[in-house]
Amino acid sequence: MTQSSGPKKAWGGVFQEPTDARVEAFSESVSFDRRLADDDIDGSIAHARMLASVGLMTVQEADAVAQALEEIRGEIHAGRFEFTAAKEDIHLHIESGLTARLGDTGRKLHTARSRNDQVATDLRLFCRRAIDRLDAGMAELQRSFLGLAEREQDLVIPAYTHLRRAQPVLAAHQLLGWCEKLARDRDRLADCRRRTNILPLGSAALAGTSLPIDREHVREALGFEAVAANSLDAASDRDFGCELAFVVSLTGIHLSQWAEEWIIWSTHEFGLLRLPEGFCTGSSIMPQKINPDVLELVRGKSARLVGNLQQLLVLLKGLPTAYNRDLQEDKEAIFDSIDTLEAVLGVAAPLVAGARFDRERVAESIDQGHLDATSLMEALIGQGVPQRTAHETVGLLVRRAMTRGVSLAELTDEEIAADYAGWNAALRGALGASRAVERMQSFGSTAPAAVADQIAAWRHRLGVAN
Ligand code: ARG
């Protein structure tokens, strides 16, 4: 047997054989869960203070524990703390650091606590902090979209369905669409935070404890909203991690869609948008290339977010009640989802802030593709023509314009009258992309007044100063 040369195990008593070194290497988690160090220390300090408040430790002992834990925190931050697979995870590392300093006092910290409720608490604290950072990053991106929308408020661009020219819209309208999606994502994040913000500590291994602990004390100290009501559930619940991974995935999918749209818009062929060069990269062989690699990576990274969510769901699928070691595998997926979205948000916001529309090229092409056909159809309906008839009539006019290679506005009155006897001058007011936009009147439409209202509402919601 390959024998461990490491320190005595936390479960030492009953074992007659040492842990196999291969098992240590296989089962360690400190290589990744060291990221929970701050949360573990915060949780332990709150736990120690609570133990003192109920008489399971003296106040002096709790003070010593808190002080030593802060020293350990300082060592970890400074990179001076020693990590070894033999001590398995961050919880055992910190506890053994404490015992090395305080002896028996350190050995009291784990009173009425298990690593099962400890890791569940640490992970919730970690996720709660991450949720707040992600929310701030998403708000920043919303502000970037809003800023660009305000700068481009009067610009009319083609909007597409099936990636075919459909109807004209204000660029601001399309940009604010991303603010809406991100607002829903933030809302889901806030909802996930509510369920994350529940305290498992005090559930102990699974059944609770016969010791007279005060969970409310710990709840208050750590700022949790409520104390988990069922110890069996609380020690193993990872729903909050799945929810977070889902919200992060959906946000990543939204940003992937955005990236795809802007990759298309910024092609020479579409010519709608110019990306900031600092957020593009070149080719090592084709000197003329200015590539949208950042947007491609935003799109590409959404794949790993979905992968992490899938990993978490499958991880939980077969687990019976209470803690199983499988749960150790939750962390890397959760960490990676958080890190990835933070990285994406970190480049997306400045990229949006630095982008600008190619107004000249937009102006050149905006009256191509008969974007005003629906506008004309609705004008006919406004004059009493049944919708199906109006649709068919405009279809004939579009066909005529296509055959001649002109826009609807360029057809003469005589040409139009050949397809539609009721033609009159008022109907010309519906033609042209800008007019089509101006004629919109429904709530939530791309009408300039409606878009101005959206901008005002977003400025208010996002706290943009006047
Ligand atoms: N490192 C473990 C994890 O992340 C901590 C809990 C270990 N509990 C246990 N009973 N072995 O899940």
Side-chain angles (χ1 to χ4, degrees), residues 73-94:
R73 191 200 302 271
E75 277 190 13
I76 293 174
H77 285 192
R80 283 188 280 108
F81 193 82
E82 204 188 307
F83 293 104
T84 155
K87 283 192 219 158
E88 206 173 285
D89 59 25
I90 188 64
H91 323 293
L92 295 175
H93 273 77
I94 290 174

PDB file of all heavy atoms in Angstrom, residues 73-94:
ATOM      1  N   ARG A  73      -6.504  33.895   7.670  1.00  0.00           N
ATOM      2  CA  ARG A  73      -7.015  34.568   6.472  1.00  0.00           C
ATOM      3  C   ARG A  73      -5.894  35.412   5.832  1.00  0.00           C
ATOM      4  O   ARG A  73      -5.688  35.372   4.615  1.00  0.00           O
ATOM      5  CB  ARG A  73      -8.190  35.473   6.843  1.00  0.00           C
ATOM      6  CG  ARG A  73      -8.943  36.013   5.608  1.00  0.00           C
ATOM      7  CD  ARG A  73      -9.765  37.255   5.915  1.00  0.00           C
ATOM      8  NE  ARG A  73     -10.764  37.149   6.947  1.00  0.00           N
ATOM      9  CZ  ARG A  73     -12.035  36.764   6.767  1.00  0.00           C
ATOM     10  NH1 ARG A  73     -12.435  36.411   5.574  1.00  0.00           N
ATOM     11  NH2 ARG A  73     -12.884  36.726   7.786  1.00  0.00           N
ATOM     12  N   GLY A  74      -5.185  36.132   6.707  1.00  0.00           N
ATOM     13  CA  GLY A  74      -4.094  36.975   6.203  1.00  0.00           C
ATOM     14  C   GLY A  74      -3.035  36.135   5.511  1.00  0.00           C
ATOM     15  O   GLY A  74      -2.545  36.502   4.432  1.00  0.00           O
ATOM     16  N   GLU A  75      -2.691  34.994   6.106  1.00  0.00           N
ATOM     17  CA  GLU A  75      -1.676  34.111   5.496  1.00  0.00           C
ATOM     18  C   GLU A  75      -2.145  33.582   4.149  1.00  0.00           C
ATOM     19  O   GLU A  75      -1.369  33.501   3.197  1.00  0.00           O
ATOM     20  CB  GLU A  75      -1.394  32.913   6.420  1.00  0.00           C
ATOM     21  CG  GLU A  75      -0.410  33.225   7.514  1.00  0.00           C
ATOM     22  CD  GLU A  75       0.029  31.962   8.271  1.00  0.00           C
ATOM     23  OE1 GLU A  75      -0.235  30.830   7.779  1.00  0.00           O
ATOM     24  OE2 GLU A  75       0.619  32.117   9.354  1.00  0.00           O
ATOM     25  N   ILE A  76      -3.425  33.201   4.092  1.00  0.00           N
ATOM     26  CA  ILE A  76      -3.958  32.671   2.822  1.00  0.00           C
ATOM     27  C   ILE A  76      -3.907  33.758   1.753  1.00  0.00           C
ATOM     28  O   ILE A  76      -3.432  33.531   0.637  1.00  0.00           O
ATOM     29  CB  ILE A  76      -5.395  32.127   3.007  1.00  0.00           C
ATOM     30  CG1 ILE A  76      -5.375  30.878   3.901  1.00  0.00           C
ATOM     31  CG2 ILE A  76      -6.038  31.802   1.653  1.00  0.00           C
ATOM     32  CD1 ILE A  76      -6.737  30.330   4.273  1.00  0.00           C
ATOM     33  N   HIS A  77      -4.355  34.951   2.108  1.00  0.00           N
ATOM     34  CA  HIS A  77      -4.351  36.050   1.124  1.00  0.00           C
ATOM     35  C   HIS A  77      -2.939  36.380   0.664  1.00  0.00           C
ATOM     36  O   HIS A  77      -2.709  36.728  -0.494  1.00  0.00           O
ATOM     37  CB  HIS A  77      -5.005  37.299   1.720  1.00  0.00           C
ATOM     38  CG  HIS A  77      -6.500  37.193   1.797  1.00  0.00           C
ATOM     39  ND1 HIS A  77      -7.321  38.254   2.064  1.00  0.00           N
ATOM     40  CD2 HIS A  77      -7.333  36.134   1.647  1.00  0.00           C
ATOM     41  CE1 HIS A  77      -8.593  37.854   2.062  1.00  0.00           C
ATOM     42  NE2 HIS A  77      -8.613  36.571   1.826  1.00  0.00           N
ATOM     43  N   ALA A  78      -1.987  36.262   1.592  1.00  0.00           N
ATOM     44  CA  ALA A  78      -0.600  36.600   1.253  1.00  0.00           C
ATOM     45  C   ALA A  78       0.107  35.449   0.530  1.00  0.00           C
ATOM     46  O   ALA A  78       1.270  35.578   0.151  1.00  0.00           O
ATOM     47  CB  ALA A  78       0.159  36.977   2.524  1.00  0.00           C
ATOM     48  N   GLY A  79      -0.592  34.317   0.377  1.00  0.00           N
ATOM     49  CA  GLY A  79       0.031  33.169  -0.296  1.00  0.00           C
ATOM     50  C   GLY A  79       1.041  32.453   0.578  1.00  0.00           C
ATOM     51  O   GLY A  79       1.878  31.702   0.099  1.00  0.00           O
ATOM     52  N   ARG A  80       0.950  32.670   1.892  1.00  0.00           N
ATOM     53  CA  ARG A  80       1.918  32.037   2.797  1.00  0.00           C
ATOM     54  C   ARG A  80       1.356  30.793   3.478  1.00  0.00           C
ATOM     55  O   ARG A  80       2.041  30.124   4.236  1.00  0.00           O
ATOM     56  CB  ARG A  80       2.376  33.052   3.864  1.00  0.00           C
ATOM     57  CG  ARG A  80       3.390  34.058   3.345  1.00  0.00           C
ATOM     58  CD  ARG A  80       3.961  34.922   4.455  1.00  0.00           C
ATOM     59  NE  ARG A  80       3.074  36.006   4.833  1.00  0.00           N
ATOM     60  CZ  ARG A  80       2.388  36.072   5.972  1.00  0.00           C
ATOM     61  NH1 ARG A  80       2.494  35.111   6.870  1.00  0.00           N
ATOM     62  NH2 ARG A  80       1.583  37.090   6.222  1.00  0.00           N
ATOM     63  N   PHE A  81       0.102  30.487   3.242  1.00  0.00           N
ATOM     64  CA  PHE A  81      -0.518  29.340   3.897  1.00  0.00           C
ATOM     65  C   PHE A  81      -0.212  28.086   3.079  1.00  0.00           C
ATOM     66  O   PHE A  81      -0.272  28.095   1.850  1.00  0.00           O
ATOM     67  CB  PHE A  81      -2.037  29.560   3.973  1.00  0.00           C
ATOM     68  CG  PHE A  81      -2.757  28.607   4.877  1.00  0.00           C
ATOM     69  CD1 PHE A  81      -2.805  28.819   6.248  1.00  0.00           C
ATOM     70  CD2 PHE A  81      -3.410  27.494   4.351  1.00  0.00           C
ATOM     71  CE1 PHE A  81      -3.484  27.939   7.081  1.00  0.00           C
ATOM     72  CE2 PHE A  81      -4.084  26.606   5.177  1.00  0.00           C
ATOM     73  CZ  PHE A  81      -4.123  26.841   6.541  1.00  0.00           C
ATOM     74  N   GLU A  82       0.151  27.009   3.779  1.00  0.00           N
ATOM     75  CA  GLU A  82       0.543  25.808   3.053  1.00  0.00           C
ATOM     76  C   GLU A  82      -0.630  24.855   2.831  1.00  0.00           C
ATOM     77  O   GLU A  82      -1.357  24.520   3.762  1.00  0.00           O
ATOM     78  CB  GLU A  82       1.645  25.078   3.842  1.00  0.00           C
ATOM     79  CG  GLU A  82       2.492  24.205   2.943  1.00  0.00           C
ATOM     80  CD  GLU A  82       3.454  23.348   3.763  1.00  0.00           C
ATOM     81  OE1 GLU A  82       4.190  23.931   4.593  1.00  0.00           O
ATOM     82  OE2 GLU A  82       3.426  22.119   3.570  1.00  0.00           O
ATOM     83  N   PHE A  83      -0.826  24.479   1.577  1.00  0.00           N
ATOM     84  CA  PHE A  83      -1.910  23.540   1.240  1.00  0.00           C
ATOM     85  C   PHE A  83      -1.327  22.177   0.906  1.00  0.00           C
ATOM     86  O   PHE A  83      -0.299  22.086   0.247  1.00  0.00           O
ATOM     87  CB  PHE A  83      -2.698  24.061   0.032  1.00  0.00           C
ATOM     88  CG  PHE A  83      -3.478  25.322   0.315  1.00  0.00           C
ATOM     89  CD1 PHE A  83      -3.024  26.554  -0.143  1.00  0.00           C
ATOM     90  CD2 PHE A  83      -4.660  25.278   1.046  1.00  0.00           C
ATOM     91  CE1 PHE A  83      -3.745  27.714   0.113  1.00  0.00           C
ATOM     92  CE2 PHE A  83      -5.381  26.436   1.310  1.00  0.00           C
ATOM     93  CZ  PHE A  83      -4.931  27.653   0.844  1.00  0.00           C
ATOM     94  N   THR A  84      -1.993  21.119   1.360  1.00  0.00           N
ATOM     95  CA  THR A  84      -1.546  19.766   1.027  1.00  0.00           C
ATOM     96  C   THR A  84      -2.743  18.843   0.855  1.00  0.00           C
ATOM     97  O   THR A  84      -3.720  18.932   1.608  1.00  0.00           O
ATOM     98  CB  THR A  84      -0.618  19.195   2.127  1.00  0.00           C
ATOM     99  OG1 THR A  84      -0.685  17.765   2.073  1.00  0.00           O
ATOM    100  CG2 THR A  84      -1.056  19.617   3.515  1.00  0.00           C
ATOM    101  N   ALA A  85      -2.645  17.981  -0.156  1.00  0.00           N
ATOM    102  CA  ALA A  85      -3.750  17.061  -0.446  1.00  0.00           C
ATOM    103  C   ALA A  85      -4.065  16.198   0.770  1.00  0.00           C
ATOM    104  O   ALA A  85      -5.197  15.749   0.946  1.00  0.00           O
ATOM    105  CB  ALA A  85      -3.393  16.175  -1.642  1.00  0.00           C
ATOM    106  N   ALA A  86      -3.073  15.974   1.631  1.00  0.00           N
ATOM    107  CA  ALA A  86      -3.295  15.110   2.787  1.00  0.00           C
ATOM    108  C   ALA A  86      -4.341  15.697   3.725  1.00  0.00           C
ATOM    109  O   ALA A  86      -4.994  14.975   4.477  1.00  0.00           O
ATOM    110  CB  ALA A  86      -1.983  14.894   3.537  1.00  0.00           C
ATOM    111  N   LYS A  87      -4.514  17.006   3.670  1.00  0.00           N
ATOM    112  CA  LYS A  87      -5.537  17.619   4.532  1.00  0.00           C
ATOM    113  C   LYS A  87      -6.852  17.837   3.793  1.00  0.00           C
ATOM    114  O   LYS A  87      -7.713  18.589   4.256  1.00  0.00           O
ATOM    115  CB  LYS A  87      -5.012  18.936   5.114  1.00  0.00           C
ATOM    116  CG  LYS A  87      -4.036  18.741   6.264  1.00  0.00           C
ATOM    117  CD  LYS A  87      -3.800  20.064   6.978  1.00  0.00           C
ATOM    118  CE  LYS A  87      -2.339  20.183   7.377  1.00  0.00           C
ATOM    119  NZ  LYS A  87      -1.955  21.582   7.583  1.00  0.00           N
ATOM    120  N   GLU A  88      -6.960  17.199   2.682  1.00  0.00           N
ATOM    121  CA  GLU A  88      -8.221  17.069   1.948  1.00  0.00           C
ATOM    122  C   GLU A  88      -8.878  18.357   1.459  1.00  0.00           C
ATOM    123  O   GLU A  88      -8.922  18.614   0.264  1.00  0.00           O
ATOM    124  CB  GLU A  88      -9.234  16.276   2.782  1.00  0.00           C
ATOM    125  CG  GLU A  88     -10.258  15.578   1.906  1.00  0.00           C
ATOM    126  CD  GLU A  88     -11.164  14.644   2.706  1.00  0.00           C
ATOM    127  OE1 GLU A  88     -10.672  13.570   3.084  1.00  0.00           O
ATOM    128  OE2 GLU A  88     -12.333  14.980   2.918  1.00  0.00           O
ATOM    129  N   ASP A  89      -9.469  19.119   2.356  1.00  0.00           N
ATOM    130  CA  ASP A  89     -10.229  20.270   1.852  1.00  0.00           C
ATOM    131  C   ASP A  89      -9.931  21.538   2.650  1.00  0.00           C
ATOM    132  O   ASP A  89      -9.206  21.529   3.641  1.00  0.00           O
ATOM    133  CB  ASP A  89     -11.745  19.965   1.818  1.00  0.00           C
ATOM    134  CG  ASP A  89     -12.318  19.600   3.175  1.00  0.00           C
ATOM    135  OD1 ASP A  89     -11.747  20.014   4.213  1.00  0.00           O
ATOM    136  OD2 ASP A  89     -13.349  18.897   3.211  1.00  0.00           O
ATOM    137  N   ILE A  90     -10.529  22.632   2.229  1.00  0.00           N
ATOM    138  CA  ILE A  90     -10.248  23.925   2.847  1.00  0.00           C
ATOM    139  C   ILE A  90     -10.688  23.948   4.307  1.00  0.00           C
ATOM    140  O   ILE A  90     -10.048  24.562   5.163  1.00  0.00           O
ATOM    141  CB  ILE A  90     -10.895  25.087   2.039  1.00  0.00           C
ATOM    142  CG1 ILE A  90     -10.439  26.446   2.570  1.00  0.00           C
ATOM    143  CG2 ILE A  90     -12.420  25.000   2.037  1.00  0.00           C
ATOM    144  CD1 ILE A  90      -8.973  26.732   2.431  1.00  0.00           C
ATOM    145  N   HIS A  91     -11.771  23.226   4.587  1.00  0.00           N
ATOM    146  CA  HIS A  91     -12.296  23.239   5.961  1.00  0.00           C
ATOM    147  C   HIS A  91     -11.284  22.634   6.940  1.00  0.00           C
ATOM    148  O   HIS A  91     -11.019  23.183   8.002  1.00  0.00           O
ATOM    149  CB  HIS A  91     -13.625  22.479   6.037  1.00  0.00           C
ATOM    150  CG  HIS A  91     -14.476  22.678   4.818  1.00  0.00           C
ATOM    151  ND1 HIS A  91     -15.030  23.886   4.517  1.00  0.00           N
ATOM    152  CD2 HIS A  91     -14.817  21.837   3.803  1.00  0.00           C
ATOM    153  CE1 HIS A  91     -15.693  23.787   3.364  1.00  0.00           C
ATOM    154  NE2 HIS A  91     -15.574  22.550   2.922  1.00  0.00           N
ATOM    155  N   LEU A  92     -10.733  21.487   6.543  1.00  0.00           N
ATOM    156  CA  LEU A  92      -9.759  20.818   7.412  1.00  0.00           C
ATOM    157  C   LEU A  92      -8.448  21.605   7.480  1.00  0.00           C
ATOM    158  O   LEU A  92      -7.774  21.599   8.518  1.00  0.00           O
ATOM    159  CB  LEU A  92      -9.522  19.382   6.934  1.00  0.00           C
ATOM    160  CG  LEU A  92     -10.766  18.472   7.046  1.00  0.00           C
ATOM    161  CD1 LEU A  92     -10.482  17.089   6.447  1.00  0.00           C
ATOM    162  CD2 LEU A  92     -11.216  18.336   8.499  1.00  0.00           C
ATOM    163  N   HIS A  93      -8.103  22.265   6.387  1.00  0.00           N
ATOM    164  CA  HIS A  93      -6.892  23.089   6.409  1.00  0.00           C
ATOM    165  C   HIS A  93      -7.007  24.215   7.431  1.00  0.00           C
ATOM    166  O   HIS A  93      -6.103  24.446   8.234  1.00  0.00           O
ATOM    167  CB  HIS A  93      -6.626  23.700   5.019  1.00  0.00           C
ATOM    168  CG  HIS A  93      -5.849  22.815   4.122  1.00  0.00           C
ATOM    169  ND1 HIS A  93      -6.400  21.735   3.472  1.00  0.00           N
ATOM    170  CD2 HIS A  93      -4.533  22.842   3.761  1.00  0.00           C
ATOM    171  CE1 HIS A  93      -5.470  21.134   2.755  1.00  0.00           C
ATOM    172  NE2 HIS A  93      -4.324  21.781   2.910  1.00  0.00           N
ATOM    173  N   ILE A  94      -8.110  24.901   7.372  1.00  0.00           N
ATOM    174  CA  ILE A  94      -8.261  26.059   8.261  1.00  0.00           C
ATOM    175  C   ILE A  94      -8.364  25.593   9.710  1.00  0.00           C
ATOM    176  O   ILE A  94      -7.745  26.168  10.608  1.00  0.00           O
ATOM    177  CB  ILE A  94      -9.474  26.914   7.821  1.00  0.00           C
ATOM    178  CG1 ILE A  94      -9.129  27.594   6.488  1.00  0.00           C
ATOM    179  CG2 ILE A  94      -9.845  27.941   8.892  1.00  0.00           C
ATOM    180  CD1 ILE A  94     -10.257  28.350   5.837  1.00  0.00           C
TER     181      ILE A  94
END
